[in-house]
């Protein structure tokens, strides 16, 4: 469908064509490994920095800087996070339905333990909001007040791990709870409060993301303040347009980033 539309509009497609630099002297002069191209308008659709092995480069940011446009600091996002301190590598592959929060944002989805930290949809979503200095709050049993439940079952001889194993994967209960082998009847009030806090509001601290080679998107980019919201043209550079991920617009998981790339492209297409 795309190729049919392109043929109809007499679009020339060049593959394996690397753009190395751009200059403007009235018209744009674009230097590529296939020679020099000239044009009245130039649309930058070079994407973000994620997955350099499939062609991501910083070209779009370099061009924006060259023309004096502001760039909001970039970082990998929609990505797994690396735990600061204890890594729980033995739990790699365990996934748990959780509520994950950072500031005012929260998502209810699965978290997934990895070799170095956490991933899974809830963590990937929260990575858009995560600030290095702040812990992420994780409720591992959203429908259960764990401290209340332990208090109500305190008389039994069952071990804590055995009890928790009915609520979360046993492997996780064994590794995560301190005092896992203690009978419920021997838990002190303090133990119960600590276990409740750990399961209902685990303050997970992360040191970094899993990086651009694992990130679905790049947070930050060309500042939206520099662009017309109708045409995507740079306010200070007539004829220069930016679309898609190179701009400081980042969506949730679920197709929003594709939608933004296509919608902003459509806006420019209508404008030129
Ligand atoms: C693994 C993965 C999964 C994803 N899943 C989803 C999803 O499910 N839903 C969703 O909405 N989004 C998803 N995304 C994000 C989505 O792919 C991007 O937001 C979207 O493709 C951005 O479109 P774009 O046109 O701006 O840039 P891109 O699609 O990245 O295209 C940029 C193009 O520019 C080319 N380029 C860069 N530098 C140069 C240069 N110097 N010379 C010539 N060409 C150059 C690149 O090779 C690339 O072909 C995913 C991304 C990844 C990496």
């Amino acid at each position: 469908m795309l190729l049919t539309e392109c043929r109809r509009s007499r679009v020339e497609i060049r593959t394996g064509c690397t753009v190395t630099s751009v200059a403007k002297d009235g018209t744009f002069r674009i230097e590529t490994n296939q020679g020099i191209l000239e044009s009245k308008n130039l649309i930058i659709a070079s994407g973000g920095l994620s997955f350099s092995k499939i062609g991501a480069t910083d070209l779009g940011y370099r061009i924006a800087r060259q023309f004096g446009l502001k760039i909001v600091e970039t970082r990998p996002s929609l990505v797994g996070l690396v735990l600061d301190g204890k890594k729980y590598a033995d739990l790699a592959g365990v996934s748990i339905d959780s509520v994950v929060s950072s500031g005012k944002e929260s998502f209810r989805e699965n978290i997934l333990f990895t070799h170095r930290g956490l991933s899974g949809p809830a963590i990937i979503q929260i990575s858009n909001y995560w600030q290095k200095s702040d812990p992420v709050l994780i409720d591992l049993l959203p429908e259960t007040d764990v401290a209340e439940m332990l208090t109500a079952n305190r008389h039994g001889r069952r071990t804590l791990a055995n009890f928790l194993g009915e609520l979360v994967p046993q492997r996780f209960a064994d590794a995560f709870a301190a005092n896992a082998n203690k009978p419920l009847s021997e838990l002190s009030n303090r133990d119960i409060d600590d276990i409740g806090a750990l399961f209902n509001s685990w303050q997970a601290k992360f040191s970094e993301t899993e990086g651009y080679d694992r990130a679905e998107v790049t947070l930050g980019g060309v500042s939206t303040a520099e662009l017309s919201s109708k045409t995507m043209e740079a306010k200070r550079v007539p004829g220069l347009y930016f679309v898609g991920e190179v701009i400081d617009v980042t969506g949730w998981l679920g197709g929003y980033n594709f939608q933004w790339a296509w919608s902003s492209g459509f806006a420019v297409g209508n404008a030129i």
Side-chain angles (χ1 to χ4, degrees), residues 76-189:
S77 205
L78 292 185
V79 65
L81 299 172
V82 178
L83 277 165
D84 200 9
K86 193 170 178 188
K87 304 278 186 270
Y88 297 102
D90 292 351
L91 291 177
V94 169
S95 102
I96 299 175
D97 171 35
S98 306
V99 174
V100 175
S101 316
S102 175
K104 289 186 189 139
E105 304 298 329
S106 78
F107 296 91
R108 172 136 191 200
E109 301 249 19
N110 278 345
I111 63 165
L112 173 72
F113 281 82
T114 64
H115 288 283
R116 303 204 309 153
L118 298 179
S119 188
I123 294 295
I124 286 178
Q125 293 282 39
I126 213 71
S127 69
N128 275 351
Y129 301 95
W130 170 68
Q131 299 292 329
K132 200 168 179 173
S133 50
D134 298 336
V136 169
L137 215 64
I138 305 180
D139 186 346
L140 295 154
L141 279 162
E143 259 92 49
T144 309
D145 183 326
V146 174
E148 198 178 287
M149 204 164 183
L150 287 172
T151 307
N153 288 276
R154 220 167 165 181
H155 43 82
R157 289 299 305 160
R158 296 165 69 192
T159 63
L160 176 63
N162 181 274
F163 180 79
L164 291 171
E166 285 177 12
L167 306 170
V168 290
Q170 189 64 60
R171 222 169 115 206
F172 176 71
D174 293 341
F176 201 66
N179 300 314
N181 293 323
K182 252 193 192 178
L184 295 183
S185 56
E186 287 179 23
L187 293 177
S188 66
N189 289 345

Side-chain angles (χ1 to χ4, degrees), residues 17-19 45-47 51 55 57 59 215-217 244-245 255-258 261:
C17 181
T18 303
V19 176
S46 52
F51 281 73
T57 75
L59 177 72
E216 291 192 16
V217 292
E245 204 175 314
Y256 298 99
N257 294 288
F258 282 134

Side-chain angles (χ1 to χ4, degrees), residues 14 16-21 31-33 44-52 54-60 62-63 78 212-218 243-247 249 251-262 264:
R14 294 194 181 194
C17 181
T18 303
V19 176
T20 46
S21 68
E31 210 175 290
T32 78
N33 62 345
I44 309 298
S46 52
L49 294 167
S50 312
F51 281 73
S52 56
I54 55 168
T57 75
D58 66 349
L59 177 72
R62 272 193 278 132
I63 295 172
L78 292 185
Y212 282 117
D213 283 345
R214 300 276 176 86
E216 291 192 16
V217 292
T218 301
V243 299
E245 204 175 314
V246 72
I247 303 173
V249 172
W252 288 356
L253 277 185
Y256 298 99
N257 294 288
F258 282 134
Q259 177 63 47
W260 166 246
W262 295 322
S264 52

